[in-house]
Amino acid sequence: MSSVTFVASVAILLVASAIICPSNGITEDILAAICSQTQNQETCEAILESDPRTGSADLPLLSLISLDLLSKQADENHSSFVQFRENSTDLDLKRSFGNCVKGYSDMQGKIKVALELSQKRQYKRINELGQLIKLAYSCENGLPSNSPTSGITETMLLTSQTAVYVNQFLITFFG
Ligand SMILES: *[C@@H]1O[C@H](CO)[C@@H](O)[C@H](O)[C@H]1NC(C)=O
Ligand SMILES: *[C@@H]1O[C@H](CO)[C@@H](O)[C@H](O)[C@H]1NC(C)=O
């Protein structure tokens, strides 16, 4: 068995057991199968477990949770960039923060679409979340290297990746 086939079989078994025993909620095995694909497994698990619903969630709810968390981050960080823009007196910096405000607002639109698709269980059509990572980098790259915002970009990257892999995992079962 190739390793790809093996990973796919394990994924299918995990999904199957989650469906058969939905009352067990999201197990550590499922979280590990999803989060091991991201850049930082521990952070991904911590992000998902930060929502109290995760313990008793089924997979469709986990998708909604991952997108709710992403949405909350985009909203909070969008407001921060609005403040950074308003607070800066340097015109170049003001323009760069303006690019971030626009980027985070584009993210909010893409997350809203993904949430609607998740509610309809159309996981295969959730395919714009990868662009959030590009938008976050495009914002950060326009800012000075000592900008206090690099932490925002890092957590946005990890929260986006977490949502990407949760929703890819759901495609295996729900299509
Ligand atoms: C960015 O969003 C995260 C997650 O919601 C939040 O913890 C963090 O404080 C936000 N940072 C800023 C500066 O908006
Ligand atoms: C912007 O300035 C206000 C008022 O001085 C301050 O409360 C806020 O923390 C600042 N925001 C940022 C993101 O620097």
Side-chain angles (χ1 to χ4, degrees):
M1 207 183 325
S2 79
S3 64
V4 171
T5 319
F6 178 72
V7 168
S9 319
V10 170
I12 288 165
L13 276 176
L14 288 173
V15 176
S17 57
I19 302 304
I20 293 162
C21 321
S23 58
N24 287 349
I26 300 297
T27 62
E28 284 301 319
D29 285 347
I30 292 175
L31 280 188
I34 293 168
C35 289
S36 60
Q37 300 181 72
T38 68
Q39 246 174 38
N40 189 326
Q41 180 173 345
E42 262 179 43
T43 305
C44 166
E45 290 178 5
I47 288 169
L48 292 172
E49 283 170 340
S50 74
D51 190 308
R53 293 173 295 170
T54 295
S56 56
D58 56 6
L59 283 168
L61 180 56
L62 189 67
S63 164
L64 289 171
I65 289 171
S66 73
L67 294 167
D68 281 347
L69 291 167
L70 192 54
S71 175
K72 183 164 160 268
Q73 165 141 20
D75 290 351
E76 284 180 21
N77 295 172
H78 177 267
S79 317
S80 295
F81 280 117
V82 169
Q83 282 187 17
F84 278 121
R85 183 184 58 187
E86 283 167 3
N87 287 3
S88 56
T89 44
D90 180 282
L91 279 185
D92 281 341
L93 202 52
K94 219 178 190 37
R95 200 175 304 121
S96 297
F97 280 129
N99 179 50
C100 292
V101 170
K102 176 163 189 318
Y104 277 74
S105 147
D106 288 352
M107 290 184 203
Q108 289 173 312
K110 292 182 194 304
I111 298 164
K112 190 160 172 279
V113 171
L115 267 167
E116 284 163 7
L117 291 169
S118 175
Q119 273 151 5
K120 293 190 259 179
R121 302 199 176 187
Q122 295 180 349
Y123 305 107
K124 213 178 270 174
R125 292 183 58 207
I126 300 180
N127 48 26
E128 293 209 334
L129 294 179
Q131 290 179 38
L132 267 57
I133 294 167
K134 280 188 207 155
L135 288 164
Y137 274 128
S138 147
C139 153
E140 188 65 27
N141 289 339
L143 295 170
S145 57
N146 64 353
S147 164
T149 55
S150 59
I152 299 184
T153 308
E154 179 69 18
T155 47
M156 182 43 97
L157 174 79
L158 293 171
T159 312
S160 301
Q161 271 192 353
T162 299
V164 165
Y165 287 109
V166 165
N167 286 288
Q168 278 188 13
F169 193 78
L170 270 118
I171 294 174
T172 322
F173 198 84
F174 296 95

